[in-house]
């Protein structure tokens, strides 16, 4: 059985960078076709959810595929799924041509555009089709590989969308990106949930205007914010560099963590994160599990651990009005139950799973079991209030302010209701005491020296060797730097090349953040960098926000609004 891999993917004629693996004869239907989960969700229209046993359930126009954890694989830096079952059903077609993978769906006709019953806070628009079609999410709507009769364009406008022909399909645009897009089968439908504000479906709205740079950022460029877009050569390689510099001591902007709110489970896009915080500049942040949609690293905001550090990986820490500090960090916690020895707590609010104790708080949102063998106790005011078995945890446990859920994985939990427990917590350095922390890794530069040690931070040798688009936060001793680095002739720089390049560019400190398809830069509302040429879902980000800005979640009732506005 032969295997062919590549990095160029064409979907209905639109070419992009995406790693893929074809197993079987090079002509005809492959025995296996492995595609990144991000491509399935963002570029083809697949919906997904994670089951309690860790399996991934994919759905596309009524076709379902259950993918256990041991049947998922890694392609470069992406989780990949075998989509051959969908090819066998002839709803998708794939072929190889000169090292390029070409995907094609049918081109059905849109039969009807109509409103439907919607969840609270949203409006639902349904497109009835004559067959399945590829659906690609975009920042202002969706692209649909279907034929749309001219007679239906007015129906679209009455429901808050505008349609225009775009290549082999139609772009359906809205003033604000849909909250959710999914497909249904029997009959075939595409469903868009739109924000409830704006049109109610009873009157037409104007077509979206051509996006332009936010005038507030335009006014700061060259004085407080310095944006450089360069083509650079280094070590015989060519890179595209976007760098944004700001002096945090004198700027009217401040560095902020960007998160969805309403708990840690779920993904969204970088432009939506920027919009939620009114960030004039935004880059993507730390790592996450794309299958479970949970964070994998430090995220501390305004003194609260939303997600704790893991594996002593690199972090950046800061206070308002000062340059950030860089280093490696882990969190030491233990539970004292009055016995001879304390019980170590391995992780706090983390999607990283390991045998032992982990702690979760209300900042995490409802806790759902992350492994098969778990027990837990709920602690309030230092006293065990309740015990939970694996069935309870699989169903989900809500957490309130001041409550801690101590979860035991692959071990027995000894404490009964009424047991008094004392929790102690200590970071490995004062970086963990800063009000704001973002984790990533590996740490690239510290004090002007290359300190790259990816193995010590728990990264695999394959990850360290590969080239990919990069996102970095750094400092030259005066300015804060937010950077993206992309390859012009290949997949992108390795981590070693990135560290050497940044050192040669005058940076003193630098931390690698999530890269690959996650890499992104939003400038004044414009998504100017997309890691592999397409919009990818991310978990969190970093933004430069006006100091007077109060984010939406600080307003009464905004938690529900944030949950509705920012899609999974």
């Amino acid at each position: 059985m032969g295997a062919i891999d590549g990095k160029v993917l064409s979907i209905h004629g639109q070419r992009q960078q995406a790693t893929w693996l074809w197993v079987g004869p090079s002509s005809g239907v492959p025995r296996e076709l492995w595609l990144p989960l991000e491509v399935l969700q963002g570029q083809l229209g697949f919906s997904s959810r994670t089951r309690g046993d860790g399996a991934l359930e994919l759905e596309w126009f009524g076709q379902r595929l259950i993918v256990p954890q041991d049947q998922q694989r890694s392609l470069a830096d992406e989780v990949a799924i075998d989509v051959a079952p969908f090819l066998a059903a002839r709803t998708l077609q794939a072929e190889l041509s000169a090292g390029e993978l070409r995907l094609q769906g049918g081109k059905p006709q849109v039969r009807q555009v109509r409103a439907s019953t919607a969840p609270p806070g949203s409006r639902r628009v349904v497109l009835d089709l004559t067959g399945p079609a590829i659906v690609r999410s975009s920042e202002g709507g969706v692209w649909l590989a279907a034929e749309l009769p001219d007679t239906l364009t007015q129906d679209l406008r009455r429901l808050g969308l505008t349609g225009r022909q775009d290549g082999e399909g139609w772009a359906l645009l809205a003033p604000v990106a849909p909250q959710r897009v999914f497909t249904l089968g029997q009959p075939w439908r595409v469903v868009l949930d739109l924000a409830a504000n704006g049109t109610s479906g009873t009157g037409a709205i104007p077509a979206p205007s051509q996006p332009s740079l936010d005038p507030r950022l335009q006014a700061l460029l060259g004085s407080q914010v310095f944006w450089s877009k360069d083509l650079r050569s280094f070590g015989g390689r060519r890179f595209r560099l976007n760098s944004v510099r700001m002096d945090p001591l004198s700027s009217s902007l401040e560095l902020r963590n960007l998160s969805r709110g309403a708990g840690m489970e779920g993904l969204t896009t970088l432009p939506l994160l920027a919009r939620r915080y009114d960030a004039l500049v935004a880059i993507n942040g730390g790592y996450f599990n794309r299958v479970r949609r949970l964070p994998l690293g430090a995220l501390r905001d305004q003194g609260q651990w939303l997600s704790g550090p893991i594996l002593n990986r690199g972090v950046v820490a800061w206070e308002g009005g000062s340059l950030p500090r860089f280093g490696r960090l882990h969190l030491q916690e233990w539970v004292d139950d009055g016995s001879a020895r304390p019980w170590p707590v391995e992780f706090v609010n983390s999607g990283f799973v390991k045998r032992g104790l982990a702690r979760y708080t209300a900042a995490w949102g409802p806790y759902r079991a992350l492994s098969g063998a778990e027990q837990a106790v709920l602690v309030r005011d230092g006293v065990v209030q309740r015990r939970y078995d694996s069935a309870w945890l699989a169903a989900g446990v809500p957490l309130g302010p001041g409550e801690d859920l101590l979860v035991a994985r692959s071990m027995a939990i000894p404490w009964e209701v009424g047991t008094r427990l004392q929790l102690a917590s200590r970071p490995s350095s004062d970086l963990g005491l800063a009000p704001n922390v973002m984790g990533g890794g590996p740490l690239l530069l510290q004090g002007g020296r290359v300190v790259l040690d990816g193995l010590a931070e728990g990264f695999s040798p394959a990850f360290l060797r590969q080239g990919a688009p990069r996102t970095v936060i750094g400092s030259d001793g005066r300015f804060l730097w937010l950077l993206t680095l992309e390859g012009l002739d290949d997949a992108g720089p390795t981590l070693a090349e990135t560290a050497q390049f940044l050192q040669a560019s005058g940076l003193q400190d630098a931390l690698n953040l999530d890269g690959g398809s996650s890499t992104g830069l939003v400038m004044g509302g414009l998504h100017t960098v997309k890691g592999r040429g397409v919009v990818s879902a991310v978990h969190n980000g970093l933004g430069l926000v006006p100091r007077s800005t109060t984010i939406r979640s600080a307003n009464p009732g905004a938690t529900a609004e944030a949950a509705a506005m920012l899609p999974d």
Side-chain angles (χ1 to χ4, degrees):
M1 183 185 297
I4 305 170
D5 60 8
K7 297 180 180 179
V8 179
L9 170 65
S10 173
I11 302 176
H12 275 284
Q14 178 173 337
R15 300 176 80 245
Q16 60 186 270
Q17 287 186 351
T19 303
W20 49 265
L21 177 65
W22 175 297
V23 179
S26 59
S27 60
V29 178
R31 295 186 183 93
E32 301 174 12
L33 180 60
W34 295 85
L35 294 176
L37 179 59
E38 188 278 327
V39 169
L40 300 182
Q41 294 171 330
Q43 306 302 306
L44 299 179
F46 282 68
S47 300
S48 69
R49 72 178 186 90
T50 305
R51 305 198 316 182
D53 59 2
L56 182 68
E57 183 175 321
L58 291 174
E59 183 173 354
W60 192 71
F61 286 101
Q63 295 176 253
R64 285 184 174 86
L65 180 66
I66 307 299
V67 187
Q69 285 182 301
D70 61 359
Q71 294 180 24
Q72 303 164 20
R73 68 183 300 165
S74 176
L75 285 182
D77 55 353
E78 301 286 352
V79 175
I81 306 296
D82 177 17
V83 297
F86 293 92
L87 301 177
R90 298 187 180 276
T91 49
L92 286 173
Q93 299 175 3
E95 66 174 4
L96 295 176
S97 178
E100 176 179 299
L101 174 64
R102 296 180 177 178
L103 289 179
Q104 195 90 4
K107 283 195 63 178
Q109 189 174 72
V110 180
R111 295 173 44 247
Q112 183 181 200
V113 180
R114 56 187 172 87
S116 184
T117 304
S122 63
R123 298 180 297 107
R124 176 163 289 177
V125 177
V126 178
L127 287 77
D128 296 313
L129 307 179
T130 60
I134 286 177
V135 183
R136 183 171 69 238
S137 297
S138 69
E139 292 163 77
V142 300
W143 180 88
L144 180 65
E147 297 179 0
L148 181 72
D150 292 340
T151 55
L152 296 181
T153 56
Q154 289 302 315
D155 293 339
L156 283 173
R157 289 184 63 80
R158 281 194 295 271
L159 294 172
L161 294 165
T162 59
R164 59 176 173 80
Q165 196 154 14
D166 182 1
E168 297 185 11
W170 279 77
L172 308 179
L173 304 176
V176 177
Q179 298 171 355
R180 186 183 178 205
V181 179
F182 60 98
T183 65
L184 297 170
Q186 304 302 322
W188 298 291
R189 288 155 287 169
V190 176
V191 182
L192 288 74
D193 286 342
L194 307 172
N197 56 341
T199 178
S200 63
T202 59
I205 63 167
S209 58
Q210 186 69 23
S212 59
L213 196 69
D214 190 313
R216 295 175 298 168
L217 178 60
Q218 188 73 61
L220 297 177
L221 290 178
S223 58
Q224 294 190 30
V225 178
F226 303 90
W227 179 20
S228 174
K229 297 176 286 183
D230 300 311
L231 298 180
R232 297 283 187 90
S233 294
F234 184 80
R237 310 273 298 282
R238 295 196 304 158
F239 304 121
R240 179 183 294 109
L241 171 69
N242 269 267
S243 63
V244 180
R245 293 180 297 135
M246 180 200 76
D247 182 352
L249 280 67
S250 60
S251 177
S252 60
L253 304 179
E254 63 177 339
L255 182 66
R256 287 291 305 270
N257 281 311
L258 310 180
S259 63
R260 296 173 63 254
M264 288 291 99
E265 182 180 0
L267 307 179
T268 186
T269 65
L270 186 59
L272 283 177
L273 286 175
R275 188 177 301 136
R276 178 174 186 246
Y277 285 78
D278 197 28
L280 300 187
V281 178
I283 59 171
N284 62 290
Y287 296 100
F288 57 94
N289 183 314
R290 190 173 290 281
V291 175
R292 292 191 178 275
R293 302 174 298 169
L294 294 174
L296 294 173
L299 184 62
R300 181 173 170 89
D301 187 50
Q302 309 298 298
Q304 182 181 39
W305 285 115
L306 306 181
S307 175
I310 64 172
L311 303 175
N312 200 35
R313 286 183 172 174
V315 300
V316 56
W318 71 96
E319 301 175 356
S322 62
L323 274 173
R325 295 173 291 140
F326 296 79
R328 297 185 178 96
L329 180 69
H330 67 272
L331 194 60
Q332 299 168 315
E333 288 201 347
W334 57 94
V335 176
D336 187 350
D337 60 1
S339 62
R341 63 180 180 85
W343 296 74
V345 177
E346 301 292 342
F347 303 105
V348 176
N349 285 350
S350 179
F352 192 82
V353 176
K354 181 182 176 182
R355 184 184 186 278
L357 282 179
R359 180 170 69 93
Y360 294 86
T361 71
W364 182 259
Y367 177 80
R368 285 190 286 271
L370 299 180
S371 65
E374 295 187 357
Q375 303 174 19
V377 293
L378 183 71
V379 180
R380 186 188 313 117
D381 298 326
V383 178
V384 174
Q385 305 292 325
R386 187 168 181 176
R387 288 177 59 98
Y388 294 99
D389 60 18
S390 58
W392 270 103
L393 296 174
V397 176
L399 298 174
E403 294 181 335
D404 292 292
L405 188 72
L406 294 174
V407 178
R409 298 186 176 119
S410 300
M411 59 174 284
I413 198 163
W415 307 304
E416 299 296 335
V417 173
T419 303
R420 287 200 163 273
L421 302 176
Q422 185 174 1
L423 177 72
S425 181
R426 181 177 64 204
S428 60
S429 80
D430 61 358
L431 295 173
L433 301 177
N436 304 294
V437 179
M438 170 67 75
L443 188 66
L444 302 176
L445 301 177
Q446 193 168 28
R449 298 183 301 109
V450 174
V451 293
L452 175 62
D453 191 350
L455 293 178
E457 294 188 29
F459 293 100
S460 70
F463 177 84
L464 299 175
R465 288 193 304 266
Q466 74 186 20
R470 303 291 175 190
T471 304
V472 176
I473 179 171
S475 167
D476 62 5
R478 177 187 173 189
F479 288 99
L480 163 71
W481 290 60
L482 305 179
L483 308 103
T484 64
L485 199 58
E486 306 162 88
L488 284 181
D489 309 313
D490 50 35
T494 65
L495 289 165
E497 289 170 334
T498 302
Q500 293 161 6
F501 173 80
L502 296 177
Q503 183 187 48
S505 299
L507 270 72
Q508 294 292 304
D509 302 280
L511 173 70
N512 182 67
L513 298 173
D514 195 6
S517 62
S518 296
T519 287
L521 172 65
V522 172
M523 295 293 295
L526 302 182
H527 203 168
T528 59
V529 174
K530 303 168 187 174
R532 292 197 167 110
V534 295
V535 179
S536 180
V538 297
H539 186 273
N540 53 70
L542 288 167
L544 302 183
V545 178
R547 292 187 185 277
S548 60
T549 294
T550 301
I551 66 167
R552 199 171 314 197
S553 62
N555 299 328
T559 300
E561 178 186 3
M565 186 186 96
L566 300 177
D568 290 346

